[in-house]
């Protein structure tokens, strides 16, 4: 008997079909954020990263060209099991032959190379307008700016991006999630909290005037609690974002780094599922603040996965990663984080949710706690290794040898 067969029997005894779990996981797309590969720099301007987010560290070998970034994404994908979707930011537009278009004027053709890349790999593409790291971000404001020239520039950026999102969906045949996140806020106590939010609302209304196919593009709005240098007030707060989403029938996006440190996204998922057809997540790891550390196999990541699976919402939740660590090998950072998201999903798929729910409903909380704790030492690793092998990616820590080789051969030469 192999270790997998032994595990399969053990799980069968608690009513879990490991084959079905593996099958479901193989079909679940995880949207992989391109920006881990180059510290959120992009290709359209060499402006320093702004918007109250920060990459820290100076590990050698970051991608500085589209070719390098694509090669690094390929390397990472070869070590990550499961289905991936590519998540791009507008700042990753690829200009050729000396041509350039500013953010308010980008067009689908500036992303043709990415479409070609994704199609060759059978991947869908998600998209994000880039409302930061640009000279038209004035006084840390974009869509909520009182300066009409600034606000209009960013409205036009949003509109341009919506057209590009639809192009991605049409080209790849896979719906595109277009996520709107703006950094707008104030470092110190604002005199007027209302007007910036009113302007943000107006700007979003204007962007959404662009006709788009709702079966092809899902527009999401990501809230935030605060950014670095913007500690006292955030225009796109949780209340603003949820209310706006509700008013326009778009999709809410929760990033688990965007709440107060004792709030957890796992507890918010069920509420949003009750009132939204779809929801979206940025899976990250905040350490004391929205630090965007690499996702690990920790309790909250497992709990988020549990909420998706136990609420039978695998086809209602858009799962994307969002972190940026510049202090370690960036390809490894992708692999570690995405393998952990996958592992957390597998862990949730191997949990007997119906049985546990019955214990809750019959108020048998003693047995519930006992079982929840016993399940923690079930042989998840044996099913995980089987899943990796079937996906054709390295089993266990052997993937790291590939990182060492790639670093020696490619990254260290940059
Ligand atoms: C910032 C948000 C946002 C960004 C990316 C780069 O706090 O999380 O999602 O991380 O768009
Ligand atoms: Zn995010």
């Amino acid at each position: 008997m192999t270790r997998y067969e032994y595990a399969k029997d053990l799980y069968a005894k608690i009513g879990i079909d490991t084959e079905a779990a593996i099958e479901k996981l193989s079909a679940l797309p995880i949207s992989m954020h391109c920006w881990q590969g180059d510290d959120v720099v992009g290709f359209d301007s060499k402006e320093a990263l702004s918007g109250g987010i920060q990459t820290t560290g100076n590990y050698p070998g970051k991608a500085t060209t589209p070719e390098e970034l694509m090669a690094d994404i390929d390397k990472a994908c070869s070590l990550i099991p499961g289905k991936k979707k590519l998540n791009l930011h507008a700042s990753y537009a690829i200009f050729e032959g000396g041509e350039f278009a500013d953010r308010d004027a980008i067009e689908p053709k500036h992303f043709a190379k990415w479409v070609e890349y994704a199609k060759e790999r059978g991947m869908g593409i998600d998209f994000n307008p880039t409302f930061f790291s640009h000279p038209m971000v004035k006084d840390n404001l974009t869509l909520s700016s009182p300066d009409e020239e600034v606000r209009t520039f960013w409205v036009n950026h949003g509109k341009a991006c919506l057209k590009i999102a639809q192009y991605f969906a049409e080209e790849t045949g896979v719906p595109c999630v277009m996520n709107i996140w703006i950094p707008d806020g104030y470092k110190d106590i604002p005199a007027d909290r209302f007007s910036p939010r009113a302007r943000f609302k107006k700007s979003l209304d204007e962007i959404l005037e662009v006709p788009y196919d709702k079966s092809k593009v899902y527009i999401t709005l990501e809230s935030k609690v605060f950014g670095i240098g913007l500690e006292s007030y955030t225009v796109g707060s949780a209340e603003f974002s949820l209310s706006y989403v509700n008013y326009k029938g778009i999709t809410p996006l929760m990033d688990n780094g965007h709440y107060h440190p004792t709030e957890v996204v796992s507890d918010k998922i069920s509420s949003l599922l009750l009132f939204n057809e779809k929801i979206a997540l940025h899976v990250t790891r905040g350490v004391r603040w929205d630090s965007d550390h690499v996702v690990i196999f920790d309790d909250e990541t497992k709990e988020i996965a549990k909420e998706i699976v136990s609420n039978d919402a695998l086809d209602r939740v858009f799962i994307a990663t969002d972190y940026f660590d510049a202090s370690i090998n960036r390809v490894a950072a992708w692999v570690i984080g995405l393998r952990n998201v996958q592992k957390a999903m597998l862990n949730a798929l191997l949990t007997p949710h119906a049985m546990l729910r019955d214990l809750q409903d019959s108020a048998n909380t003693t047995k519930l706690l006992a079982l929840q704790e016993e399940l923690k030492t079930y042989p998840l690793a044996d099913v995980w290794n089987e899943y990796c092998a079937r996906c054709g990616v390295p089993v266990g820590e052997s993937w790291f040898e590939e990182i060492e080789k790639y670093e020696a051969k490619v990254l260290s030469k940059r």
Side-chain angles (χ1 to χ4, degrees), residues 60-325:
K62 80 165 166 225
T64 56
T65 64
E67 295 70 32
E68 287 177 354
L69 188 61
M70 286 173 183
D72 291 357
I73 295 172
D74 277 340
K75 181 42 79 180
C77 285
S78 74
L79 308 173
I80 301 164
K83 197 168 163 183
K84 294 116 204 155
K85 212 174 167 188
L86 183 62
N87 201 0
L88 295 178
H89 244 284
S91 51
Y92 290 78
I94 301 176
F95 302 111
E96 285 173 299
E99 170 202 29
F100 176 74
D102 209 348
R103 298 253 175 100
D104 61 339
I106 43 170
E107 291 174 51
K109 66 175 182 196
H110 303 124
F111 293 87
K113 276 262 161 64
W114 283 115
V115 164
E116 193 187 311
Y117 174 89
K119 275 183 169 173
E120 276 168 15
R121 289 153 184 81
M123 288 164 116
I125 307 179
D126 290 334
F127 198 44
N128 305 260
T130 311
F131 296 101
F132 52 83
S133 308
H134 190 280
M136 279 304 270
V137 180
K138 297 266 168 74
D139 307 317
N140 302 313
L141 303 174
T142 63
L143 292 178
S144 76
S145 174
D147 178 336
E148 263 307 285
E149 200 196 330
V150 170
R151 198 187 67 79
T152 308
F153 177 88
W154 292 110
V155 166
N156 289 335
H157 177 55
K159 289 182 170 176
C161 285
L162 188 42
K163 291 176 197 152
I164 294 164
Q166 174 123 350
Y167 156 76
F168 285 152
E170 278 160 5
E171 287 290 324
T172 62
V174 182
C176 173
V177 174
M178 187 185 96
N179 177 49
I180 297 177
W181 169 74
I182 60 162
D184 300 32
Y186 289 106
K187 179 186 175 86
D188 225 323
I189 302 153
D192 174 6
R193 290 183 169 87
F194 188 87
S195 303
R197 289 188 173 129
R199 287 189 291 265
F200 185 25
K201 174 173 179 281
K202 179 171 168 226
S203 299
L204 289 171
D205 287 349
E206 288 170 16
I207 293 171
L208 292 177
E209 277 166 14
V210 172
Y212 70 99
D213 183 338
K214 289 195 173 171
S215 68
K216 290 186 180 149
V217 178
Y218 288 87
I219 299 183
T220 64
L221 186 61
E222 177 179 12
S223 66
K224 190 161 178 172
V225 63
F226 79 91
I228 299 257
L230 306 165
E231 290 85 357
S232 299
Y233 170 79
T234 297
V235 179
S237 61
E239 294 75 16
F240 176 93
S241 300
L242 284 183
S243 306
Y244 191 87
V245 156
N246 190 255
Y247 147 72
K248 277 285 182 187
I250 58 169
T251 302
L253 186 144
M254 294 188 289
D255 178 313
N256 59 301
H258 289 193
Y259 296 87
H260 293 288
T262 56
E263 277 185 277
V264 279
V265 160
S266 54
D267 186 58
K268 302 175 190 295
I269 291 173
S270 48
S271 300
L272 293 205
L273 282 174
L274 273 168
F275 297 100
N276 295 275
E277 183 200 325
K278 306 265 189 196
I279 70 166
L281 299 176
H282 272 181
V283 184
T284 186
R285 178 167 54 110
V287 178
R288 304 187 188 281
W289 64 287
D290 183 33
S291 58
D292 287 292
H293 281 64
V294 176
V295 174
I296 59 173
F297 189 56
D298 57 8
D299 285 350
E300 175 57 3
T301 310
K302 286 188 246 182
E303 204 64 17
I304 287 172
K306 168 184 147 187
E307 289 300 311
I308 300 169
V309 173
S310 72
N311 294 317
D312 200 16
L314 281 172
D315 57 349
R316 292 177 59 204
V317 183
F318 297 115
I319 307 170
T321 46
D322 178 18
Y323 53 82
F324 20 96
D325 193 336

